Amino acid sequence: MKSKLKKVGILDYGVGNIASLGGALKMLGFHVSIGKTEASLSKVDALFLPGVGCYPFAMENLRQMKMDQFLKNRFKAKDLNVIGICLGMQILFDYSEEGNSPGLGIMAGQVKRFSAKECHVGWNIVQAKSKTIIADKSAYYFNHSYYIETNEECVLGTSNYQKDFPVIVKKNRFYGVQFHPEKSQNIGAELIKRLVLEE
Amino acid sequence: MLKRLVGVITVKNNWAVQSIGYKKYLPIGRPEIIAENYDRWQLDEILIIDIDRSKLNLGPNYELLEKITSKRLMTPLCYMGGIRSSHDALKLINRGADRIALDSLFRHNPDIVDTIADTIGLQAVIKVQPLIVKEKEIFCYDYLKQTPFEKLDPMKFVKRNKNFSELMIVDVENEGVLGAFNENLISMFSKSNLQLICFGGISNSSQVKRILSNPIVSAIAIGNSLSYREIPHKSILPQTEVDLARQTSFGKITRGAKDW
Amino acid sequence: MVTQCRRCLYTSDHALGIVFNEHQICSGCIIHEEKDTLDWSSRWQDLQKLVSEYRTAETKYDCIVPISGAKDSFYTLHLVVNVLKMKPLVLAYNKYFNTPVGIANLARLRIAFDVDFQQKNVDPILVKEITRKSLYAHGNPYWHCIAGETVFPVQTAVMMKIPLIIWGPHQGVEQVGMFSHLHNAEMTRRYRKDHDLFGYDSDNFVGPFDNLKDEDMLNYRYPAFSDIQEIGVRGIYLSNYVRWDPYSQHLEMVGNFGFRGALLSRTFDSYDHADCYVYSNVHDVLKFYKHGYSKVTDQVCREIRFGRISRLKGLDIVAYYEAQQPKYMDLFCNWLGVDSQSLQFSMNRHRNGKFWDEIEPDIWVNKKDQAIKERELDYRIPEMKYPNCKSKSYETNEKFITIGKGVNWPLQLNKNTINNDWL
């Protein structure tokens, strides 16, 4: 896949492992811009939304930064690959049980907590729905306590922990991955490249 | 869920060390180069334990984390040592740690641990419990005072509001002793519904196979013996289709120096 | 705050990292105690068992033994060939800093042990370029030597499919007790990058402003793990299985095989590094600049642990030899293509402020107790003899012949069987 895309942005909205994601992207040969405003991220070809931590806090930050509107605009304009990782994927949906918090509503669905306060931590296998950007039965690193419930056709792959749930979603040019590709070694690196370069 | 092998790096005085029985230490080298090696081996997770920080009330070792993240590793990283507050925890997460592990804070200030779990997420908190056998009874061990402090009651961990995702049990006496991990420690938790990481004297494949076959054990952690030879982990963990799923093989045999 | 061992002289500034116990005894001394407590005959049986898996009549070589013209090469090869009765392929890396004693030792070694021998010689122009970079950027002229010496056996093991590499001593164990002898620690890529190459392996040695390219480093590249795993390459250390005592071993090698040493300026030991005019001089001075101690301290600590030198005397020996001027600096400058002022400038960049004060521009003073310099130093060690050592390691009048094997020279000919007509 030949491509001229080289500039990748990371939205810093106060939640997330910017250091690791930035490091991984640089190692994969992309130019990385980390920014908080529309202006600082205007020239990128793909944008990552990292996310570790608290849903209401993340959404509140986005609203205050006015970047919630920015993301909704990008979704409509279809002019940019946006990839949400972990919490960054969950905020794309309607609502989360965590703090009864509304999300961006870009994809329909809600975020629920795993029962008995259990957490999905470690490497797990992804079942791909069909031939998509993700290889079937590949394994990635997960680290989360909440999961997505959705009927939307946006689901590209699922994993199983307590139940089957979506772990990779796509709508227009917005992707969401529940796992951490930047921590999934070889196979994560390949997926990141595909996510950035896919048109 | 796939069972994991966690590579442990014990740090004392900013040098990576072998830890033997929580008492004797032998120097190994630079933590960031060992972390780089673990990443090259594609271990499932790396756990860095800085054992000086709580003792000296120094807070977390951010410089150490920085040295390691500057190597741009793509392996999950856990940090332990000197975490005092949710501010410390969040700063570590923002600077490259995926999860944090706590021992003394659970004892001295469980309320702060609650706040940490709320801030960074329950999944990112690991509780570490060193255990020691005294007169055939299992006791919890206080590493700061170097003494057992109360008899182990696994149900005590679950009674309280859950503020950690996994429990790492450490066999203090057998730490640093090859193949000596006391598997009875695991059975103490069989009714508790907790997920365990086992650490302390785990070094050979038959031991690992037995320990991981236990449904409550989700991972094993190995420290010292990972430094003894070139590719130790391939002979310790059974190779399964999981490794294909993660492409953890070292790739094809090369055609020579050009490919090295 | 610097801690010093109560038994030997090592401090917490040791370059490999060191740990002290609650009695302020260093980890190196603690592990050294094993030399007198372990059952070495049982350890030897373990070694026999290990090598028996590799010992074979079928192939030409059942192991690789890396050597040089000094250190523990003779003893290692003696154990492998004469005692373990294995068939090694012997490898050496040409450091280009050879002394006549070193060359003579290499020759003698090959004759004494009847082995197949390969020496890697990298293009000297490239080696000089690498050395200029490692000297200026890292204060170490020895990068290519250690990189070459440690990787050549591994590359050969992969290329010739000889899995077992047998080394002599494990430096980390011997100096700072990095492992117990019982851990049977083996050669690792990690140790090489961490300690031998101070964090700079061939993959991150070349920078964007160098004249060097990645391809130039081909001879220093560690083989891929896939190859190492496929062939099962492993490097073992004899010092884990044998009570390793270099001084006694050297004496034995002098007596039995004619091993030679040389009197060096900055240390009392005449055997360990007589083969290289850089290691005991330029490299030793830089070690002093950067880490605050020199090779003589390593050797004194070793002999203190063996009970040949008292700690008190050790302090005097170190104080005396550390103050001696290095030799052959001009020779090194000439080889590298720099003048001595440039060399001093490059070296001064690496003076560690923890140990050195720049009292005036380019005038440096060591922070150690000046009082030591004033008193009469008891540095001579009459109890330790060093037979077969030339007065200087570099004699330019030494004559050499091309190595041939199997003749006593001059030839003893039987007059009756001389043939003068071959046409």
Short mmCIF file of all heavy atoms in Angstrom, two decimals, chain C residues 4 37 76 90 112 126 128 138 146 162 164 171 187 224 227 234 239 243-244 251 283 310 322 327 332 343 350 378 399:
data_model
loop_
_atom_site.label_atom_id
_atom_site.label_comp_id
_atom_site.label_asym_id
_atom_site.label_seq_id
_atom_site.Cartn_x
_atom_site.Cartn_y
_atom_site.Cartn_z
N GLN C 4 32.34 2.32 50.29
CA GLN C 4 33.47 1.48 49.90
C GLN C 4 33.41 0.17 50.67
O GLN C 4 33.10 0.14 51.85
CB GLN C 4 34.80 2.18 50.17
CG GLN C 4 36.00 1.41 49.58
CD GLN C 4 37.30 2.19 49.62
OE1 GLN C 4 37.60 2.85 50.61
NE2 GLN C 4 38.08 2.11 48.55
N THR C 37 33.98 -22.30 49.19
CA THR C 37 32.95 -23.13 49.83
C THR C 37 32.30 -24.12 48.89
O THR C 37 31.76 -25.13 49.32
CB THR C 37 31.83 -22.25 50.43
OG1 THR C 37 31.30 -21.44 49.38
CG2 THR C 37 32.35 -21.36 51.55
N THR C 76 42.29 -21.30 29.38
CA THR C 76 41.01 -21.75 28.82
C THR C 76 41.24 -22.82 27.76
O THR C 76 40.61 -23.88 27.78
CB THR C 76 40.26 -20.55 28.19
OG1 THR C 76 40.12 -19.53 29.15
CG2 THR C 76 38.91 -20.96 27.67
N VAL C 90 39.38 -22.23 17.16
CA VAL C 90 39.86 -21.12 17.99
C VAL C 90 39.75 -19.82 17.21
O VAL C 90 40.15 -19.76 16.05
CB VAL C 90 41.31 -21.40 18.42
CG1 VAL C 90 41.88 -20.21 19.16
CG2 VAL C 90 41.35 -22.63 19.32
N ALA C 112 51.30 -24.66 20.77
CA ALA C 112 51.19 -25.53 21.95
C ALA C 112 49.96 -26.42 21.90
O ALA C 112 49.96 -27.53 22.42
CB ALA C 112 51.16 -24.68 23.20
N LEU C 126 38.41 1.52 8.40
CA LEU C 126 37.10 1.53 9.04
C LEU C 126 37.24 1.46 10.56
O LEU C 126 36.58 2.19 11.31
CB LEU C 126 36.27 0.33 8.55
CG LEU C 126 34.91 0.16 9.17
CD1 LEU C 126 34.03 1.37 8.90
CD2 LEU C 126 34.22 -1.10 8.65
N LYS C 128 39.66 2.53 12.35
CA LYS C 128 40.11 3.83 12.86
C LYS C 128 38.94 4.81 12.93
O LYS C 128 38.81 5.58 13.88
CB LYS C 128 41.21 4.41 11.97
CG LYS C 128 42.52 3.65 12.09
CD LYS C 128 43.64 4.29 11.26
CE LYS C 128 44.80 3.33 11.14
NZ LYS C 128 46.02 3.95 10.61
N HIS C 138 32.21 8.79 23.25
CA HIS C 138 31.99 8.02 24.47
C HIS C 138 33.22 7.89 25.36
O HIS C 138 33.16 7.24 26.39
CB HIS C 138 31.49 6.61 24.12
CG HIS C 138 30.33 6.61 23.19
ND1 HIS C 138 29.12 7.18 23.51
CD2 HIS C 138 30.20 6.14 21.92
CE1 HIS C 138 28.30 7.04 22.49
NE2 HIS C 138 28.91 6.41 21.52
N ILE C 146 36.10 -4.73 21.91
CA ILE C 146 35.16 -5.56 22.68
C ILE C 146 34.03 -6.02 21.78
O ILE C 146 33.59 -7.17 21.83
CB ILE C 146 34.58 -4.79 23.88
CG1 ILE C 146 35.69 -4.14 24.69
CG2 ILE C 146 33.75 -5.70 24.74
CD1 ILE C 146 36.40 -5.07 25.60
N ILE C 162 28.16 -24.26 14.85
CA ILE C 162 28.82 -24.87 16.02
C ILE C 162 28.18 -24.24 17.24
O ILE C 162 28.47 -23.09 17.57
CB ILE C 162 30.34 -24.56 16.04
CG1 ILE C 162 30.99 -24.96 14.71
CG2 ILE C 162 31.02 -25.27 17.19
CD1 ILE C 162 32.39 -24.42 14.54
N LEU C 164 28.24 -24.54 20.63
CA LEU C 164 28.82 -24.27 21.95
C LEU C 164 30.03 -23.35 21.87
O LEU C 164 30.99 -23.61 21.14
CB LEU C 164 29.24 -25.58 22.63
CG LEU C 164 29.78 -25.46 24.06
CD1 LEU C 164 28.69 -24.98 25.00
CD2 LEU C 164 30.34 -26.79 24.54
N GLN C 171 33.30 -11.82 33.61
CA GLN C 171 33.80 -10.60 34.26
C GLN C 171 32.85 -10.10 35.35
O GLN C 171 33.27 -9.67 36.42
CB GLN C 171 34.02 -9.53 33.20
CG GLN C 171 34.67 -8.27 33.74
CD GLN C 171 34.64 -7.14 32.74
OE1 GLN C 171 33.60 -6.81 32.20
NE2 GLN C 171 35.79 -6.54 32.50
N MET C 187 26.41 -16.65 28.29
CA MET C 187 26.62 -15.45 27.48
C MET C 187 25.26 -14.93 27.03
O MET C 187 24.40 -15.71 26.62
CB MET C 187 27.45 -15.90 26.28
CG MET C 187 27.58 -14.92 25.16
SD MET C 187 28.38 -15.72 23.74
CE MET C 187 27.02 -16.56 22.95
N ALA C 224 20.69 -12.65 14.48
CA ALA C 224 19.28 -12.60 14.88
C ALA C 224 18.96 -13.71 15.86
O ALA C 224 19.53 -14.81 15.79
CB ALA C 224 18.40 -12.74 13.65
N ASP C 227 18.20 -17.14 14.38
CA ASP C 227 19.34 -18.00 14.06
C ASP C 227 19.90 -18.64 15.32
O ASP C 227 20.25 -19.82 15.35
CB ASP C 227 20.45 -17.19 13.39
CG ASP C 227 20.04 -16.69 12.02
OD1 ASP C 227 19.00 -17.15 11.51
OD2 ASP C 227 20.76 -15.84 11.46
N ARG C 234 24.99 -21.28 22.48
CA ARG C 234 25.11 -20.86 23.87
C ARG C 234 26.58 -20.69 24.23
O ARG C 234 27.45 -21.40 23.73
CB ARG C 234 24.42 -21.83 24.82
CG ARG C 234 24.92 -23.24 24.79
CD ARG C 234 24.01 -24.20 25.49
NE ARG C 234 24.05 -24.12 26.93
CZ ARG C 234 23.85 -25.14 27.75
NH1 ARG C 234 23.62 -26.34 27.25
NH2 ARG C 234 23.86 -24.98 29.05
N SER C 239 34.68 -20.33 34.38
CA SER C 239 34.85 -19.87 35.76
C SER C 239 33.67 -20.24 36.64
O SER C 239 33.74 -20.13 37.86
CB SER C 239 35.08 -18.35 35.81
OG SER C 239 33.94 -17.67 35.33
N ARG C 243 37.57 -23.39 39.96
CA ARG C 243 37.93 -22.33 40.91
C ARG C 243 38.89 -21.38 40.21
O ARG C 243 40.09 -21.65 40.11
CB ARG C 243 38.58 -22.92 42.16
CG ARG C 243 38.82 -21.88 43.25
CD ARG C 243 39.54 -22.49 44.45
NE ARG C 243 39.73 -21.51 45.52
CZ ARG C 243 40.76 -20.68 45.61
NH1 ARG C 243 41.73 -20.75 44.70
NH2 ARG C 243 40.85 -19.81 46.60
N TRP C 244 38.35 -20.26 39.70
CA TRP C 244 39.12 -19.42 38.80
C TRP C 244 40.05 -18.48 39.56
O TRP C 244 39.59 -17.64 40.32
CB TRP C 244 38.14 -18.60 37.94
CG TRP C 244 38.72 -18.22 36.62
CD1 TRP C 244 39.22 -17.00 36.28
CD2 TRP C 244 38.86 -19.04 35.48
NE1 TRP C 244 39.67 -17.01 34.99
CE2 TRP C 244 39.46 -18.26 34.46
CE3 TRP C 244 38.56 -20.37 35.19
CZ2 TRP C 244 39.76 -18.77 33.19
CZ3 TRP C 244 38.84 -20.87 33.92
CH2 TRP C 244 39.44 -20.07 32.94
N LEU C 251 50.77 -18.45 36.10
CA LEU C 251 52.06 -19.04 36.47
C LEU C 251 52.17 -20.45 35.90
O LEU C 251 53.21 -20.86 35.38
CB LEU C 251 52.23 -19.07 37.99
CG LEU C 251 52.46 -17.72 38.68
CD1 LEU C 251 52.60 -17.90 40.19
CD2 LEU C 251 53.69 -17.03 38.13
N HIS C 283 43.24 3.55 27.35
CA HIS C 283 41.97 3.06 27.86
C HIS C 283 41.95 3.13 29.38
O HIS C 283 40.94 3.50 29.99
CB HIS C 283 41.76 1.62 27.38
CG HIS C 283 40.50 1.00 27.88
ND1 HIS C 283 40.42 0.26 29.03
CD2 HIS C 283 39.25 1.02 27.37
CE1 HIS C 283 39.19 -0.16 29.21
NE2 HIS C 283 38.46 0.29 28.23
N SER C 310 47.20 -7.45 51.38
CA SER C 310 46.31 -6.94 52.42
C SER C 310 45.62 -5.70 51.89
O SER C 310 46.11 -5.03 50.98
CB SER C 310 47.11 -6.59 53.67
OG SER C 310 47.84 -5.39 53.43
N GLU C 322 48.16 4.37 40.01
CA GLU C 322 47.24 5.33 39.38
C GLU C 322 47.94 6.61 39.00
O GLU C 322 47.52 7.32 38.09
CB GLU C 322 46.10 5.67 40.35
CG GLU C 322 44.91 4.77 40.20
CD GLU C 322 43.75 5.15 41.11
OE1 GLU C 322 43.89 6.07 41.94
OE2 GLU C 322 42.71 4.50 40.96
N LYS C 327 51.94 4.91 28.80
CA LYS C 327 52.95 4.85 27.73
C LYS C 327 52.27 4.73 26.38
O LYS C 327 51.07 4.52 26.29
CB LYS C 327 53.82 3.62 27.96
CG LYS C 327 54.80 3.75 29.10
CD LYS C 327 55.91 2.71 28.93
CE LYS C 327 57.19 3.09 29.62
NZ LYS C 327 57.14 2.99 31.07
N PHE C 332 49.64 5.56 19.76
CA PHE C 332 48.20 5.55 19.53
C PHE C 332 47.77 6.74 18.67
O PHE C 332 46.97 6.60 17.74
CB PHE C 332 47.45 5.53 20.86
CG PHE C 332 45.96 5.57 20.72
CD1 PHE C 332 45.27 4.49 20.19
CD2 PHE C 332 45.23 6.69 21.11
CE1 PHE C 332 43.89 4.51 20.05
CE2 PHE C 332 43.85 6.73 20.96
CZ PHE C 332 43.19 5.63 20.43
N LEU C 343 44.08 14.53 21.11
CA LEU C 343 43.74 13.37 21.93
C LEU C 343 43.42 13.80 23.35
O LEU C 343 42.40 13.41 23.92
CB LEU C 343 44.89 12.36 21.93
CG LEU C 343 44.66 11.11 22.79
CD1 LEU C 343 43.47 10.31 22.27
CD2 LEU C 343 45.90 10.22 22.84
N HIS C 350 35.71 13.81 28.80
CA HIS C 350 35.07 12.73 29.55
C HIS C 350 35.50 12.65 30.99
O HIS C 350 35.18 11.68 31.68
CB HIS C 350 35.33 11.40 28.82
CG HIS C 350 34.77 11.39 27.44
ND1 HIS C 350 33.43 11.23 27.17
CD2 HIS C 350 35.37 11.60 26.24
CE1 HIS C 350 33.23 11.32 25.88
NE2 HIS C 350 34.38 11.55 25.29
N ASP C 378 53.99 1.91 49.94
CA ASP C 378 54.48 0.53 49.99
C ASP C 378 53.81 -0.26 48.87
O ASP C 378 52.80 -0.93 49.08
CB ASP C 378 54.13 -0.06 51.37
CG ASP C 378 54.54 -1.51 51.49
OD1 ASP C 378 55.42 -1.97 50.72
OD2 ASP C 378 53.96 -2.21 52.35
N LYS C 399 62.24 -9.76 16.20
CA LYS C 399 62.17 -10.36 14.87
C LYS C 399 61.08 -11.42 14.85
O LYS C 399 60.85 -12.11 15.82
CB LYS C 399 63.52 -10.98 14.54
CG LYS C 399 64.64 -9.97 14.37
CD LYS C 399 65.90 -10.69 13.90
CE LYS C 399 67.04 -9.71 13.65
NZ LYS C 399 67.38 -8.87 14.80
#
